[in-house]
Amino acid sequence: MEQSKFDVWRKCWEAYLLGEQKNPEGDYEQQVIASVDRMAAKELDFRGYEDESECTVSSPIFGLRAKALAYRTRGSRFYRDPDELREVKDGLEDFYRTDYNMDLAPERTENWWLFEVGAPLRILDILVLLYDDLNEPEKWIQKFTDVILHFKDAYLRSSHGKPETGANLMWKCHILLLSGILRREQKWIDWANSRIPTLLGYSHAMQIPGMGKIYDDGFYPDGSFIQHYVFSYTGGYGKHFLSILAGDLFAFHGQDCLTLPRESLDFLFKMIREAYLPLLYKGHMMDLCRGREPSRYWCQDDAAGALVLRALLYLTGVLPQDQRKELEGWLKEQLALPETRKKLFYDFHPSAEYYATPSLADRLRALDASSTAMAAPLTGHYNFGVMCKPVHRTARYAFAVSMYSRNIACYEKLMKESNRFWHVSDGATYLYTGSGSGYCGDYYAAADMQRLAGTTVERSPQREDDPYYSWYLPEARNVYAFAGGATLGNAGIAGQQYRGQGKGKKRTLEIRKSWFMFENEIVCLGSGISSPTDNPVETIILNDRLLQEQEKGSFCILTGESGLRLTEGREMTVLTDRLFVSQVPDKTGNGYLFPGGAQVHILLAHRRGTWNSTKLNPDHISENTYLTVWISHGCQPSQAAYAYAILPACTEQEWQEAADRPSFTILENSVNAHAVKSLREGLLGINFWQEAPCICAGVECSTQASILLREEKATGETTLAVADPTKQDRQIALRILTEPEHATTIDTRNSDGGTTIIHFQQKPAARS
């Protein structure tokens, strides 16, 4: 009998999940099978937490989906096992009877995500995987999709009455698409086709009574991805968005099921290039773009990176040829490290939305067979102004800063997650060198979260007991508008003025911070550091996790010509103008310079801790050894300041030479302005802090602004980059006080902190 189009489409999704499975003995297939078996062997029922209504993984449906996949995976120890099939079918029946039906009391359905997204995703996959093994499959489909569609009003609008957007809408489009296929109802497929293109375009800022200016969920022209209105989420909800969309596009490619116009595919590719790739470093998705997900022990930055890489692999099968070739080159660069490839096939927890499936092996083998050359490592300065998250990349390292503003909240405390992430947006800096990231390996379980690198913090012994900031209220956002910076070529600057957390919900610490990001160094300045409390105030230079024992790591610390011998648990104070930190056997490390010298505190400490989410495996004890370096400003500081420079991924010789002959000059570090000149790159960077005319380093500025200035001596041309970090749609008047003077006015309306570039002739070009 001829198959209906719905049967064809169901088989398409089955093929996406199962792949060709031609060679179960192949290396990639064996890695997939190992991951599938490990997930299927996990305990089915994750109940037993303090508050099940708030726990997104307290459901046996996660394990049932894992078992159904193992049952259909050739080579799995559960392949076609009748006991496994019986367990899944009985489990589905039990789940329907006790946890997922239309007669549950309202309090049982308060966890909207589980009922509208989490459970439907797994149920639909199970129905597809076991379709031929179910007695009267149409009855199974009818029963479970009736429950899914019972919530159909919520698919059209959220519980707040606002149309769904961002990843939530993408999830629901996919769920209704598969529901329509299984029920043979075209209207739901048409609904998904009408909504998905709306997600592949830019979102916009909006005004909400009681909240002020916030951002609608989705993408922005500077590459930012926002979810929940006030959080950077490219590597969180944006990762889910990409994973679902990539799977649907791959599964139904060439079929008259999911059809996107070329302009939607072009936008998707543009966002891959501008939103995702700058935040992906050697298989690790940077934590500053992952919202509250860094607080999940099963979803550390390497796991998030693996999910994004999987999605990109599937997209190489559907994008237009020119885009596919470019994407293949990027993927080969990202997957060059064996460890990254290994993690591509590894799932950390049964709650993972998108398991490594047999089809993933097919996609990686296709990439290997491609003639596309490996791309060079991504370099450049990326100012995600809407998210307040600048990212600076060179061939040797990546560096990022997490800030917050009047429109972006400091951290998301939700569902009992991110309990200890108080300071992740207080100028926290992330440095990536070598083979990847130091922020996985249970970093956050045991780290001193009041000593995150880059932050200036009022250190409080009662911080654990302080009430958290409700993210939807103004208290979670900055009282000051300045949070952003400017970009010129591959260089960039950023600055943030904020009032930091003191006691309880009181914000009492005043601070202005800047980062000048050049090719070989990042210059970090702070001024106006003042606090009336008795809490000690510290600026944290670094807080590095020791590489795990199997990696045979240890810290090597140099000051000047001599090394430091640290005693674990004992604080050391040194007066120095330089510091070098490496982990043996790595011959390179990170250098630190303190112009004019500084009293630096150093602590090597072995710490034990649990992940901060009390509902998710609170007995998951982790241990790490941390090297922490900071500058103390004492208690009740008034107008204190600091200055240091980071030399990432350098050798000892390069560090010593940079300390003896600095390639930068600090021109001003005050409450009026921060200014640094890069001698090597011929760049002048200034953050103007005052909302009044101010002169600094030969530049007069009418109000708050970030500028970068480069003069080409050979041509006499000067390039000026200007940004409004306050995002207040103002005009900025500038005057360059040289001979001849140059004056200009920049209109920053609707720029969302983006950079305006101006070229002008300062003096006649030199004769050749």
Side-chain angles (χ1 to χ4, degrees), residues 731-749:
Q731 288 190 331
I732 299 172
L734 288 167
R735 194 156 59 100
I736 314 300
L737 305 176
T738 57
E739 290 294 337
E741 289 189 5
H742 179 84
T744 187
T745 300
I746 295 91
D747 190 339
T748 66
R749 285 176 292 185

Side-chain angles (χ1 to χ4, degrees), residues 234-255:
T234 318
Y237 282 97
K239 167 198 67 188
H240 297 293
F241 174 95
L242 187 67
S243 296
I244 287 290
L245 180 58
D248 285 340
L249 289 174
F250 180 82
F252 304 114
H253 181 58
Q255 303 291 329

Side-chain angles (χ1 to χ4, degrees), residues 500-535:
Q501 191 168 351
K503 292 184 177 181
K505 285 193 174 182
K506 294 181 179 178
R507 291 187 177 274
T508 52
L509 172 65
E510 297 285 345
I511 177 71
R512 294 166 174 84
K513 301 171 77 72
S514 291
W515 299 267
F516 298 79
M517 291 161 271
F518 305 124
E519 176 70 21
N520 294 325
E521 66 271 325
I522 300 107
V523 182
C524 310
L525 302 183
S527 64
I529 302 171
S530 302
S531 171
T533 76
D534 293 329
N535 292 333

